[in-house]
Amino acid sequence: MMRIRSLVTFDVRFQWKQRFYHVYLLVCAVYISLLLLLPEAYVDKTIVLLTFSDPAALGLFFSGGMLLLEREQGIQESLFATPLRVKEYVIARCLSLSVLSLAAAYVIHIAVKGWPVSPIAFTLGVLLSSFFFTLLGMCAAVLSHSINGFLLLSQGFALPFVFPVLGYLNWLPSPLYKLLPTEGSLLLIEGSNQIISLGDAVYAIIVLLLWIGFAGWWSVSLLQRTIKMLDEGKN
């Protein structure tokens, strides 16, 4: 636990140094300005979609970007030369980026609409979605050899999980969306506008946790394989 806490602190400092927070402050300001200009009838759905697609999903690109930067700067070799375990590294990365996701989500929501109607559901939706997309971004980064490759691969990974948005907008509804974690994300983030039923909340949390478990196992496996290859290369 102490190692995870230290690594979260290290991650937050790294993000600050790389100006992640500065960039996201500007992004939040742009979103708030656009939302305030929208007709009131469109604000509820738009703020849910923005929270889902940006603050909740920023982990997809930021986690991958951080991992690629660490690889380029040789930070990973130093980190894993310590007693730090890969699982601890992955958990710390998820926690540090979820703080940024949650802060951005609340800044945007409070500035536009005030406090969420169901703050617990809203908070869980943002945090769990951030965890999932952070893990997905890390997998894409480990499998990529360049920034351009990462951008293409991460978008390819994320594309199937965007389909529940079509159902949310009533453009292409399908019961199959319930198999995807992002259906749960949208249900929980909808807590910004309304009370979420217990059944919907339980379903959403379970489907997100199942996918987080799979993405977590995959990211740890990929990183362990990469570290093993680095060690073999040294020998």
Side-chain angles (χ1 to χ4, degrees), residues 182-201:
T182 40
E183 177 75 7
S185 300
L186 290 167
L187 270 173
L188 290 173
I189 294 170
E190 182 66 29
S192 62
N193 303 319
Q194 62 185 29
I195 300 294
I196 306 299
S197 72
L198 180 61
D200 282 346

Side-chain angles (χ1 to χ4, degrees), residues 212-233:
I212 287 168
F214 169 73
W217 166 81
W218 192 25
S219 62
V220 168
S221 299
L222 288 172
L223 279 166
Q224 285 176 334
R225 188 178 69 184
T226 302
I227 294 163
K228 186 177 179 182
M229 289 170 64
L230 286 172
D231 290 340
E232 289 173 353

